[in-house]
Amino acid sequence: MRDLTTLNVQELEAFFNSFDTVLSDIDGVLWNVLHSIPGATDAISSLKKINKRVILVTNNTIRTTSTLYKELKDAGFDIEENSLVTPALAMVSYLRKHNITDKKIYVIGMTPLKDLLRQAGFEIVDIPAGRIEESIQTLVALTTVDDEDVGVVIADADVNRNYVKLQKAVTFLQRKDVVFLSGATDEKLSLGKGYILLGPGYFLKILEDMTGRKAVALAKPSANLNDYVVDEFKIKDLSRVLFVGDSIAEDMGFAASCGYKKLLVLSGLAKKSALEKWEFPEEYKPDFYVDSLKSVHDLIVRVLETKVTTTKK
Amino acid sequence: MKNLANLNNLELQKFFSSFDYVLSDVDGVLWNFLDTIPGTQETIKSLKKIGKKVIIVSNNTSKSINFYHHELTRAGFDVDKDEIVTPTLAIISYLKKQDLKDKEVFVLGMTPLKGSLEKAGFKLAQNEPDRIEESHSAFGAHTIPDDEKVGAVVADVDINLNYVNLQKAATYLERPEVLFVKGAADCHLPVGWNKSLIGPGYFTNILEDKTNRKGVPMAKPSPFLHEYIVEKYQIGDPSRVLFVGDSIPSDMGFAAESKYQKLLVFSGATGKNVLKEWDFPHEYKPDYYADSLKSLNDCILRTFACKL
């Protein structure tokens, strides 16, 4: 693990020549909940200037891709809408790739995900959030009746997740041929300012435990997400991809299982202390780390200036 | 483990002299969802005739005691209102002993439990809505703020439980002085013959895992429920209690921990096959077993024929 800013110019050139694509996390790397991280927009522009393809990856499905794209653009990030990766996009791709297009999908998730699936031509089955009558008979009638037309269950982030929705999913999943997909699997939901809340992983575990089945997770740190990235962006050599992230478990773990190079930024979840006392698997160790993307921008500028100077000579 | 039906007259006399109280489970012992088990009403009558104190103990908190009493009476069971115990009563008794003063209780539970708590004089904290705006900021706004007025969290079965309320409970529980009490805490909710749904235990487990705290359990097989029963009915010697149940972990386990005598019936959750291969802790083995509670009545008639 080396501090990127300690590399000399030759080492930096070698570093920048070692990858063609940058896969970057968003929260904690480009911005933190409410505000952009200073220098992050410059870093993205500089990376493109030196001919790196930039792809942004987030586990967050609370915004539609177009909303996310607009927010990024408004914040000054120079990226294309088709270079965004979310679990929602990966789910659509997975279902198409596996020819599961004529079955209904039962979704525990929010409107952006459901809209995307509908736009992609899928029929959605869901249960509206809200109270049901306090009777076991009503509960049984609502949640234990199967529907053979349902061929997929998706368990994704849902602020309006409830008992009835979960039980309905359990019922559909009893049928072995029903495909089981999930988005983010963390037990922790970080809402900035140090607030750690219950994450989607707890509820996914209930479904997995009740049914004895494991979901195909299409979110970091699952390597399943990588299949989508590789397919969609036609990546031939995984070692020529630099993954930039702020979470050791989720981002570095993901990058490790995919075989990417790893750059850890300290502008989000991970703190310098985590590097000094490493408590994660060895393979999660980033190749390099920086305080934030601003450093990446500054380093690119340094390398380019040196090149110009050398050329001028 | 003795088959009740095989006891000879002398053994039966000794058996009936060995207990003064009969604590009986409901589901799987008196009835199975919609059907009462034949002969069980007579058994309750006979037990009372031979001078035994009968107490019904159920983990079912989704019915109020009044409603339960009404259902039992309508089905022919000769049971008084104050002869019924559910975790609700134990929860109320426990909370009354803590020094809550005017602190509020945040309840994850259904109307019967909430109604009982209010009747007992507790002020309930307001629950979060059933549905919120789909945004992290709305979720945070509903679940992050603490409220010093809340002094206890009671987590029980709630078919309308949602993420927002579960997280709110977790937020309150981050404050160490907030009491944490659990009602029904099984991971399965039986709703029919061979059918069970996600149980409240999954959610209490989430709360315990997230907050690193253990809730005080008030349902079978908890010793707190045993304490409540012993106190309420002034039971001096637990060995003079015969516990009748159909579930090994919750009934036989409860009885074992409480040092009651144990009668396992096969009219509910457990089949006879367990006798061949006992897969449970040794101490959960029942002293006696029978097809159903009716067998107990047959034994009473055999033993007390002239007295009844």
Side-chain angles (χ1 to χ4, degrees), chain A residues 135-148:
Chain A
S135 109
I136 298 295
Q137 284 95 311
T138 305
L139 175 67
V140 167
L142 189 56
T143 63
T144 64
V145 178
D146 197 358
D147 176 359
E148 296 265 324

Side-chain angles (χ1 to χ4, degrees), chain A residues 72-244:
Chain A
L72 286 162
K73 271 307 241 203
D74 288 347
F77 290 99
D78 177 23
I79 48 114
E80 291 79 55
E81 193 169 345
N82 62 9
S83 48
L84 294 176
V85 173
T86 72
L89 293 171
M91 284 171 191
V92 170
S93 171
Y94 181 95
L95 292 170
R96 284 183 174 151
K97 188 174 173 185
H98 289 80
N99 279 322
I100 310 158
T101 49
D102 58 344
K103 288 287 193 177
K104 291 194 213 167
I105 307 179
Y106 174 72
V107 181
I108 298 177
M110 296 187 279
T111 308
L113 172 64
K114 292 176 188 171
D115 283 347
L116 183 79
L117 290 164
R118 284 191 188 104
Q119 273 156 33
F122 295 98
E123 195 181 332
I124 307 297
V125 169
D126 64 1
I127 291 186
R131 179 152 287 267
I132 67 164
E133 183 198 330
E134 276 186 358
S135 109
I136 298 295
Q137 284 95 311
T138 305
L139 175 67
V140 167
L142 189 56
T143 63
T144 64
V145 178
D146 197 358
D147 176 359
E148 296 265 324
D149 289 338
V150 169
V152 183
V153 166
I154 293 180
D156 190 40
D158 184 4
V159 296
N160 287 312
R161 217 184 254 111
N162 67 18
Y163 177 73
V164 167
K165 289 183 183 185
L166 289 169
Q167 182 54 56
K168 188 94 188 171
V170 167
T171 296
F172 290 133
L173 288 167
Q174 301 301 318
R175 250 183 307 124
K176 296 281 172 248
D177 57 322
V178 168
V179 172
F180 187 10
L181 303 181
S182 85
T185 57
D186 326 59
E187 283 189 352
K188 295 190 167 83
L189 176 68
S190 174
L191 282 197
K193 288 195 190 151
Y195 292 118
I196 308 283
L197 308 179
L198 295 170
Y202 277 119
F203 304 99
L204 183 62
K205 259 213 210 135
I206 296 178
L207 297 183
E208 294 185 330
D209 199 73
M210 281 290 291
T211 61
R213 303 182 54 169
K214 273 230 153 279
V216 172
L218 290 164
K220 295 176 287 171
S222 170
N224 291 311
L225 185 64
N226 192 42
D227 291 342
Y228 170 72
V229 174
V230 165
D231 277 348
E232 185 72 14
F233 299 97
K234 314 225 183 321
I235 296 176
K236 305 239 169 14
D237 183 354
L238 299 169
S239 67
R240 291 201 57 83
V241 172
L242 176 71
F243 192 94
V244 185

